Amino acid sequence: MAKNIQSLERAAAMLRLLAGGERRLGLSDIASTLGLAKGTAHGILRTLQAEGFVEQEAASGRYQLGAELLRLGNSYLDVHELRARALVWTDDLARSSGESVHLGVLHLKGVLIVHHVFRPDDSRQVLEVGAMQPLHSTALGKVLSAYDPVAHSEVLEIEREAFTPRTTTEPVAFESLLDMTRARGWAADVEETWEGVASVAAPIHDRRRMPVGAVAVTGAVERLCPAGELRGELVAAVRDCARAVSRDLGAGRF
């Protein structure tokens, strides 16, 4: 037990070391600073690297903090705070669009719905809070995959199932889709996950300008895409909502 605790303490010391100073350090620097043998330091770094907590720069061989730590840091922002900040804006979006609104976050290689505003009519609807959606086909998932490095690595690892003939599954085409998402600031899902259903989503950022979630409007294809393309005012409304929530989280202007 003592040996395991010592290993954890050494790993924590390495992460703290990489979090400060030059941010990128070589094996010799890390070992000498922490008073460890090179073999010991290298073994711990390999474990941290395998778990995504540390990355090694190919050109220099130096180590730096990995994307998994970004994900853990983002999780410090309580999902309840994200939901609380989004309540007013998502309600307004549902009223103005006349459609359902979903708030989603990355969870277990998918999208977890943490808030759902019903479409403002008298139709029968089912609350989807707690439901999981796929990363590769939904508008929420594409946004998270485009902006969150952890989601991006996860979506490339999973099996990208073709839910409909429109689903993009091939790696190169999918990467192009994410490039387009980053370039325009939003993502679409037009019958790529469910036949007859369309969605448009935009990213939400925190005070560090890190992606912490996404907001989407979802509805029937004939309402969201009456002329064969997503309504421009709907895309603008979703992006405005995402920016408003981001500002409330301290992200400033985007």
Side-chain angles (χ1 to χ4, degrees):
M1 179 63 73
K3 183 177 180 180
N4 290 337
I5 292 174
Q6 185 182 55
S7 297
L8 289 173
E9 288 175 342
R10 288 172 172 175
M14 283 185 183
L15 295 176
R16 293 192 187 99
L17 180 63
L18 292 170
E22 298 179 15
R23 300 299 177 93
R24 291 187 180 90
L25 296 171
L27 174 60
S28 296
D29 296 325
I30 294 171
S32 61
T33 301
L34 299 179
L36 299 174
K38 279 189 179 181
T40 301
H42 187 242
I44 296 173
L45 284 167
R46 284 180 59 189
T47 301
L48 291 173
Q49 187 177 2
E51 294 298 324
F53 295 133
V54 164
E55 295 174 355
Q56 188 176 25
E57 197 175 44
S60 67
R62 290 174 173 264
Y63 293 90
Q64 62 186 16
L65 295 181
E68 180 65 10
L69 276 180
L70 295 178
R71 186 188 70 80
L72 293 178
N74 288 343
S75 69
Y76 184 77
L77 174 65
D78 193 339
V79 167
H80 295 297
E81 180 185 354
L82 173 61
R83 181 178 178 275
R85 298 287 187 178
L87 282 176
V88 173
W89 301 110
T90 50
D91 283 350
D92 286 347
L93 180 58
R95 279 194 296 269
S96 65
S97 66
E99 302 292 347
S100 298
V101 175
H102 295 91
L103 188 68
V105 299
L106 178 65
H107 182 65
L108 298 177
K109 297 185 179 181
V111 182
L112 174 66
I113 303 302
V114 297
H115 184 51
H116 174 199
V117 185
F118 282 169
R119 184 171 64 253
D121 60 20
D122 296 328
S123 62
R124 183 180 177 85
Q125 299 174 62
V126 177
L127 185 66
E128 295 182 25
V129 173
M132 292 291 294
Q133 293 187 1
L135 271 178
H136 69 286
S137 61
T138 61
L140 287 169
K142 290 178 201 172
V143 163
L144 292 172
S145 298
Y147 286 90
D148 185 330
V150 175
H152 182 256
S153 64
E154 290 184 350
V155 78
L156 296 180
E157 293 173 0
I158 63 174
E159 180 182 351
R160 292 179 296 280
E161 180 181 351
F163 297 111
T164 78
R166 292 173 175 263
T167 310
T168 301
T169 59
E170 197 274 325
V172 174
F174 186 72
E175 284 287 9
S176 296
L177 202 59
L178 297 187
D179 288 340
M180 183 171 64
T181 297
R182 285 185 287 267
R184 65 188 184 183
W186 56 275
D189 167 9
V190 181
E191 296 188 289
E192 294 175 53
T193 310
W194 302 282
E195 296 281 358
V197 178
S199 182
V200 56
I204 296 171
H205 298 79
D206 66 4
R207 61 184 58 86
R208 297 165 298 162
R209 299 208 166 192
M210 293 298 299
V212 292
V215 62
V217 159
T218 302
V221 170
E222 58 266 24
R223 294 196 303 269
L224 271 63
C225 311
E229 294 184 359
L230 283 162
R231 289 158 39 204
E233 73 275 11
L234 197 61
V235 174
V238 171
R239 296 191 69 191
D240 286 345
C241 177
R243 290 192 191 102
V245 178
S246 297
R247 285 196 298 271
D248 278 0
L249 290 171
R253 294 184 64 83
F254 268 80

